[in-house]
């Protein structure tokens, strides 16, 4: 079967660093995406990983280990506006850019 | 560019009624998708299209129909609405030039079936 697992909720303090983990099992694998979704809004693209290793984009970094079926999203220098859900999504074989989404991790950033 | 637009933003239906959720993109994307998102759950793919005249089922197609007569538009039809179809519906699109193209999402339609 195809499955994406990520923690349901996390809390962190403004200015801190938080790591959101994601494990996946898919029929084949093309890459791993991270999306941010504020309450009541549409998901917006953050990053994707194809090869093993770390991809850095400003305060956000994403890591992938294909052999372990594991990824994480690292958020540095947390700001209040980072309070949102973070969706992990895997692209299985078969093309057409189809994605399998996890349930999302709801992050609350406190002052 | 408006990106991906969806109408209506909100809708309440009675059981057994029908409606069409509209989706339009102005980015000349080849691929378009319909997802539903239930509270506390991930996005589930309902239908997708890889070009005008070509559609296929996703994970949860039952109770829905789609058509794609133009590149820009991808309407989702609900026939005989049921309470289980209460959800937030998102339309998305991507270029379709690579299997790792980013999907861009519309603002969503919140549907309640009573």
């Amino acid at each position: 079967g195809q499955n994406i697992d990520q923690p349901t909720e996390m809390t962190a303090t403004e200015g801190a660093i938080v790591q959101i983990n994601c494990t996946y099992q898919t029929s084949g694998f093309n890459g791993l995406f991270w999306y941010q979704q504020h309450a009541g809004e549409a998901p917006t693209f953050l990053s994707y990983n194809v090869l093993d290793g770390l991809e850095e984009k400003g305060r956000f970094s994403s890591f992938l280990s294909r052999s372990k079926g594991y990824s994480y999203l690292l958020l540095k220098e947390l700001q209040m506006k980072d309070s949102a859900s973070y969706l992990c999504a895997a692209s299985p074989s078969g093309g057409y850019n189809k994605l399998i989404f996890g349930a999302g991790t709801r992050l609350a950033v406190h002052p | 560019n408006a990106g991906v637009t969806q109408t209506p933003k909100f809708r309440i239906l009675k059981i057994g009624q029908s409606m069409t959720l509209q989706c339009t993109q102005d980015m000349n994307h080849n691929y378009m998708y319909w997802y539903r998102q239930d509270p506390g759950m991930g996005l589930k793919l309902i239908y997708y299209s890889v070009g005008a005249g070509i559609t296929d089922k996703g994970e949860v197609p039952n109770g829905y129909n789609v058509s794609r007569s133009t590149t820009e538009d991808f309407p989702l039809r609900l026939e005989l609405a049921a309470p289980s179809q209460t959800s937030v519906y998102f339309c998305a699109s991507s270029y379709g030039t690579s299997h790792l193209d980013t999907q861009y999402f519309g603002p969503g339609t919140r549907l309640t079936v009573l």
Side-chain angles (χ1 to χ4, degrees):
Chain A
Q2 311 206 91
N3 196 48
I4 311 286
D5 284 316
Q6 53 182 131
T8 305
E9 290 186 2
M10 298 182 73
T11 58
T13 305
E14 196 174 15
I17 299 172
V18 72
Q19 177 175 313
I20 302 174
N21 296 324
C22 170
T23 57
Y24 63 88
Q25 287 179 300
T26 55
S27 303
F29 179 77
N30 289 322
L32 196 291
F33 288 74
W34 285 95
Y35 282 80
Q36 180 189 59
Q37 186 178 25
H38 284 101
E41 297 183 9
T44 55
F45 170 75
L46 284 178
S47 69
Y48 78 82
N49 296 69
V50 177
L51 302 175
D52 286 0
L54 191 68
E55 293 282 343
E56 298 190 71
K57 277 179 134 182
R59 293 191 299 115
F60 291 48
S61 303
S62 57
F63 171 84
L64 176 67
S65 169
R66 294 176 70 115
S67 62
K68 295 181 180 176
Y70 167 71
S71 174
Y72 68 72
L73 180 69
L74 195 70
L75 292 75
K76 303 174 191 172
E77 300 168 17
L78 281 171
Q79 302 175 9
M80 299 296 290
K81 67 178 181 178
D82 297 329
S83 292
S85 285
Y86 291 85
L87 312 179
C88 174
S91 174
S93 298
Y96 307 129
N97 302 159
K98 286 192 289 183
L99 295 174
I100 307 295
F101 280 86
T105 298
R106 193 161 55 248
L107 174 67
V109 179
H110 298 291
Chain B
N1 282 353
V4 181
T5 56
Q6 294 182 238
T7 56
K9 285 188 169 53
F10 303 92
R11 184 73 185 269
I12 298 174
L13 282 182
K14 293 183 180 177
I15 294 172
Q17 286 186 318
S18 300
M19 77 165 292
T20 299
L21 282 67
Q22 301 292 345
C23 175
T24 300
Q25 54 91 9
D26 63 359
M27 297 176 282
N28 204 29
H29 284 173
N30 292 312
Y31 294 177
M32 295 186 75
Y33 314 84
W34 274 107
Y35 293 92
R36 59 177 288 171
Q37 186 176 35
D38 299 330
M41 305 288 284
L43 293 153
K44 300 290 186 188
L45 183 65
I46 304 171
Y47 271 95
Y48 67 99
S49 169
V50 300
I54 307 170
T55 63
D56 205 350
K57 297 176 181 178
E59 299 173 75
V60 290
N62 291 345
Y64 307 95
N65 278 301
V66 293
S67 60
R68 182 107 180 261
S69 57
T70 66
T71 300
E72 294 79 18
D73 300 307
F74 190 39
L76 178 72
R77 179 84 177 158
L78 278 72
E79 305 280 3
L80 299 174
S84 61
Q85 293 178 306
T86 293
S87 190
V88 181
Y89 291 84
F90 288 102
C91 178
S93 69
S94 66
Y95 281 106
T97 57
S98 140
H99 54 258
L100 287 170
D101 286 331
T102 301
Q103 290 189 20
Y104 296 87
F105 286 81
T109 294
R110 293 181 179 276
L111 176 67
T112 302
V113 182
L114 300 173

